[in-house]
Amino acid sequence: AGIGKCVALELARRNARTILACRSRERGQAAVEEIRAATGNPAVLLRLLDTGSLASVRAFARAVLREEKRLDVLVNNAGVSGLPFAVTPEGLERTFATNYLGPFLLTNLLLG
């Protein structure tokens, strides 16, 4: 939803192979189908990613590096705010992990 969906829509309109990295399979798949229908671009894909989980970030990066020949653009757009204090299973404060540590790790893992 929001900015991320708009960016994905515009990339797909430009005929880019576009990977939506989403926490929710249901919401992500709905966005993929909407973007495919709006653009006629079948190369819009869903991959699951929770940037609040470093294990999820590592798994996502491994899959992208294994499955994709190249990566031209990375848009780090995930974020949360206003949530009550919580700690991830990895012992990190949830908002900090989701908004900063996860995207930082993802970027560095995809740099190769």
Side-chain angles (χ1 to χ4, degrees):
I3 293 170
K5 186 175 174 184
C6 288
V7 170
L9 179 64
E10 189 57 36
L11 290 170
R13 275 195 182 121
R14 295 171 187 228
N15 207 32
R17 180 175 171 83
T18 305
I19 301 170
L20 280 68
C22 303
R23 271 189 310 244
S24 166
R25 181 179 305 277
E26 294 77 23
R27 290 180 59 204
Q29 191 59 45
V32 164
E33 290 169 15
E34 183 180 332
I35 292 168
R36 284 179 182 166
T39 64
N41 183 345
V44 179
L45 312 169
L46 173 65
R47 299 290 180 264
L48 297 181
L49 171 63
D50 177 359
T51 59
S53 163
L54 301 186
S56 176
V57 171
R58 286 186 177 96
F60 177 86
R62 273 192 308 272
V64 167
L65 292 171
R66 182 180 62 246
E67 296 168 5
E68 302 298 326
K69 294 178 185 170
R70 63 187 234 201
L71 179 66
D72 295 313
V73 176
L74 173 65
V75 178
N76 281 316
N77 184 60
V80 296
S81 66
L83 299 177
F85 178 84
V87 176
T88 70
E90 295 158 313
L92 305 167
E93 193 279 321
R94 178 176 51 189
T95 301
F96 186 58
T98 301
N99 294 354
Y100 300 101
L101 297 178
F104 180 82
L105 178 61
L106 179 62
T107 300
N108 280 276
L109 291 172
L110 293 176
L111 284 173

